[in-house]
């Protein structure tokens, strides 16, 4: 971890160490199983020892934007990709689509692809009382009045674009949500991790109906608390669709993003109402058709071979147990 102390609701008995410190490397050296998200070990040039297993979780299942391995070129990337192939033993997947993307972008021959589902998404299948506790935590942490409805806007990271979210008319957005869904809405904005420092100045220019959730520790908590959401191209919306709650896309700077990053499939093939501009976004919110949206989500998930069912953590734990306590 990069902070001195954990913030989330972690189980008792865990040992925390600060990232890229001597205790951090000591724990890496002594671990039987290492779980990573993206190319953390590879960028640190850490080589696993004989007998160690590395499980890769990644974080963008069903995501539409192309991964680095399908976009980035050059000697530095070639070296990183080779380290990834040498390091990772098991890849957690939740769909046929996941497997195809990882094979194309990173690991053509290895590792073992585990159709476990993604543990982070189990939260969407929790009992209602347990999810209610998560919602209460989000509202309490962000200081949002309990009578407000929460709308999430979380744009993706781009190497070429600035804070496009400051251009949205948030008060008009809140009114459109009220017109379609009723109630009073608080818009929670969460910028990409790489833009945290810059975002502090940006948020000072936004109206009171906007809350800053950039520093909140767990994105999945916010997805449980949000009653609707908006992004441009971020993969979180494909986790959020497992809730079947309304989700919208705005394609600001589409041509620039498509040229620099690109997509695995057309945006139009998703169930999300798509808007090229703010005027269309407000129309899409007011015209949202839940009766058409829900079967479209189910059809999309089926077309990608998605198998999320809330049991991913149990399957992953069973794999780790088998690795650390093999049968005699």
């Amino acid at each position: 971890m990069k902070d001195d102390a954990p913030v989330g609701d972690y189980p008792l008995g865990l040992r925390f160490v600060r990232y890229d410190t001597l205790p951090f490397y000591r724990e890496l050296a002594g671990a039987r199983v290492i779980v990573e998200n993206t190319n953390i070990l590879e960028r640190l040039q850490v080589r696993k020892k004989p007998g160690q297993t590395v499980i890769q979780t990644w974080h963008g299942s069903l995501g539409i934007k192309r991964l680095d391995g399908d976009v980035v070129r050059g000697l530095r990337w070639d070296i990183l990709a080779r380290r990834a192939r040498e390091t990772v033993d098991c890849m957690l997947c939740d769909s046929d689509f996941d497997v195809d993307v990882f094979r194309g972008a990173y690991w053509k021959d290895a590792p073992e692809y585990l159709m476990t589902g993604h543990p982070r998404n189990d939260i969407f299948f929790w009992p209602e009382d347990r999810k209610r506790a998560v919602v209460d935590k989000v509202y309490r942490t962000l200081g949002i009045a309990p009578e407000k409805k929460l709308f999430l806007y979380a744009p993706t990271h781009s190497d070429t674009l600035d804070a496009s979210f400051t251009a949205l008319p948030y008060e008009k957005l809140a009114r459109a949500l009220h017109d379609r869904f009723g109630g009073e809405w608080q818009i929670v904005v969460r910028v990409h991790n790489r833009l945290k420092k810059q975002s502090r100045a940006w948020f000072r220019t936004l109206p009171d109906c906007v809350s800053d959730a950039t520093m909140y520790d767990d994105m999945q908590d916010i997805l449980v608390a949000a009653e609707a959401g908006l992004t441009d191209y971020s993969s979180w919306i494909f986790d959020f669709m497992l809730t079947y709650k309304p989700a919208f896309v705005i394609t600001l700077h589409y041509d620039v993003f498509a040229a620099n990053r690109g997509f695995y499939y057309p945006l139009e093939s998703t169930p999300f109402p798509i808007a090229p501009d703010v005027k269309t976004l407000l129309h899409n919110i007011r015209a949202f058709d839940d009766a058409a949206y829900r079967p479209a989500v189910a059809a999309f998930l089926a077309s990608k071979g998605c198998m999320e069912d809330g049991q991913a953590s149990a399957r992953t734990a069973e794999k780790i147990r088998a690795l650390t306590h093999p049968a005699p």
Side-chain angles (χ1 to χ4, degrees), residues 260-277:
N260 285 279
R261 189 66 179 263
F263 305 104
Y264 284 116
Y265 48 86
L267 265 173
E268 294 73 20
S269 68
T270 71
F272 312 122
I274 299 168
D277 51 48

Side-chain angles (χ1 to χ4, degrees), residues 132-210:
R132 183 69 248 173
V134 173
V135 174
D136 291 344
K137 175 192 170 188
V138 171
Y139 273 68
R140 184 173 63 253
T141 304
L142 298 181
I144 297 174
E147 66 273 12
K148 295 285 187 74
K149 295 184 177 182
L150 193 155
F151 181 85
L152 171 66
Y153 176 45
T156 190
H157 168 72
S158 172
D159 294 325
T160 57
L161 304 179
D162 59 9
S164 59
F165 71 85
T166 57
L168 287 182
Y170 288 101
E171 289 163 325
K172 290 182 179 180
L173 187 57
R175 280 199 297 272
L177 290 163
H178 168 78
D179 292 345
R180 171 59 183 86
F181 302 106
E184 298 302 314
W185 289 77
Q186 187 72 14
I187 300 168
V188 169
V189 178
R190 183 180 172 92
V191 305
H192 193 278
N193 184 59
R194 297 181 186 177
L195 299 175
K196 280 183 176 179
K197 291 183 179 179
Q198 299 96 307
S199 72
R200 290 169 181 160
W202 299 338
F203 276 104
R204 287 197 288 270
T205 69
L206 301 182
D208 291 341
C209 64
V210 177

Side-chain angles (χ1 to χ4, degrees), residues 69 72-86:
V72 183
R73 297 292 180 268
L75 179 60
R76 289 180 65 185
W77 168 253
D78 291 340
I79 294 172
L80 182 65
R82 186 181 70 246
R83 287 183 190 140
R85 289 192 294 272
E86 293 171 350

Side-chain angles (χ1 to χ4, degrees), residues 9-195:
D9 298 326
Y10 297 100
L12 296 176
L14 297 182
R15 193 163 56 238
F16 294 91
V17 292
R18 191 172 177 84
Y19 176 77
D20 202 17
T21 61
L22 180 58
F24 169 83
Y25 289 105
R26 200 175 280 135
E27 295 290 345
L28 277 182
R32 290 276 300 278
V33 177
I34 301 169
V35 180
E36 70 168 343
N37 183 314
T38 71
N39 306 118
I40 296 172
L41 300 183
E42 294 82 355
R43 293 182 189 277
L44 291 173
Q45 301 187 43
V46 171
R47 295 187 178 277
K48 64 183 179 184
K49 300 190 306 183
Q52 286 185 317
T53 298
V54 175
I55 298 177
Q56 172 67 252
T57 67
W58 214 255
H59 56 276
S61 54
L62 306 181
I64 195 169
K65 63 183 182 182
R66 294 165 70 86
L67 300 188
D68 292 341
D70 286 329
V71 179
V72 183
R73 297 292 180 268
L75 179 60
R76 289 180 65 185
W77 168 253
D78 291 340
I79 294 172
L80 182 65
R82 186 181 70 246
R83 287 183 190 140
R85 289 192 294 272
E86 293 171 350
T87 301
V88 174
D89 298 288
C90 304
M91 190 86 202
L92 302 189
C93 300
D94 76 346
S95 63
D96 300 331
F97 173 81
D98 262 8
V99 175
D100 290 343
V101 166
F102 294 138
R103 279 183 174 146
Y106 289 94
W107 299 279
K108 292 178 174 59
D109 303 316
E112 179 184 4
Y113 292 94
L114 303 176
M115 199 64 76
T116 54
H118 291 292
R120 69 176 183 273
N121 288 334
D122 285 356
I123 192 172
F124 302 132
F125 299 88
W126 286 0
E128 289 304 316
D129 59 337
R130 194 175 176 192
K131 286 192 288 187
R132 183 69 248 173
V134 173
V135 174
D136 291 344
K137 175 192 170 188
V138 171
Y139 273 68
R140 184 173 63 253
T141 304
L142 298 181
I144 297 174
E147 66 273 12
K148 295 285 187 74
K149 295 184 177 182
L150 193 155
F151 181 85
L152 171 66
Y153 176 45
T156 190
H157 168 72
S158 172
D159 294 325
T160 57
L161 304 179
D162 59 9
S164 59
F165 71 85
T166 57
L168 287 182
Y170 288 101
E171 289 163 325
K172 290 182 179 180
L173 187 57
R175 280 199 297 272
L177 290 163
H178 168 78
D179 292 345
R180 171 59 183 86
F181 302 106
E184 298 302 314
W185 289 77
Q186 187 72 14
I187 300 168
V188 169
V189 178
R190 183 180 172 92
V191 305
H192 193 278
N193 184 59
R194 297 181 186 177
L195 299 175

Side-chain angles (χ1 to χ4, degrees), residues 217-275:
D217 61 307
D218 193 338
M219 178 65 157
Q220 304 308 95
D221 283 4
I222 302 175
L223 299 188
V224 169
E227 296 194 36
L230 168 71
T231 191
D232 44 10
Y233 315 107
S234 179
S235 61
W236 68 261
I237 199 170
F238 296 94
D239 287 349
F240 188 65
M241 72 159 52
L242 294 169
T243 69
Y244 285 79
K245 292 184 284 192
F248 304 87
V249 169
I250 186 166
T251 57
L252 299 174
H253 312 292
Y254 176 85
D255 292 338
V256 175
F257 194 86
N260 285 279
R261 189 66 179 263
F263 305 104
Y264 284 116
Y265 48 86
L267 265 173
E268 294 73 20
S269 68
T270 71
F272 312 122
I274 299 168

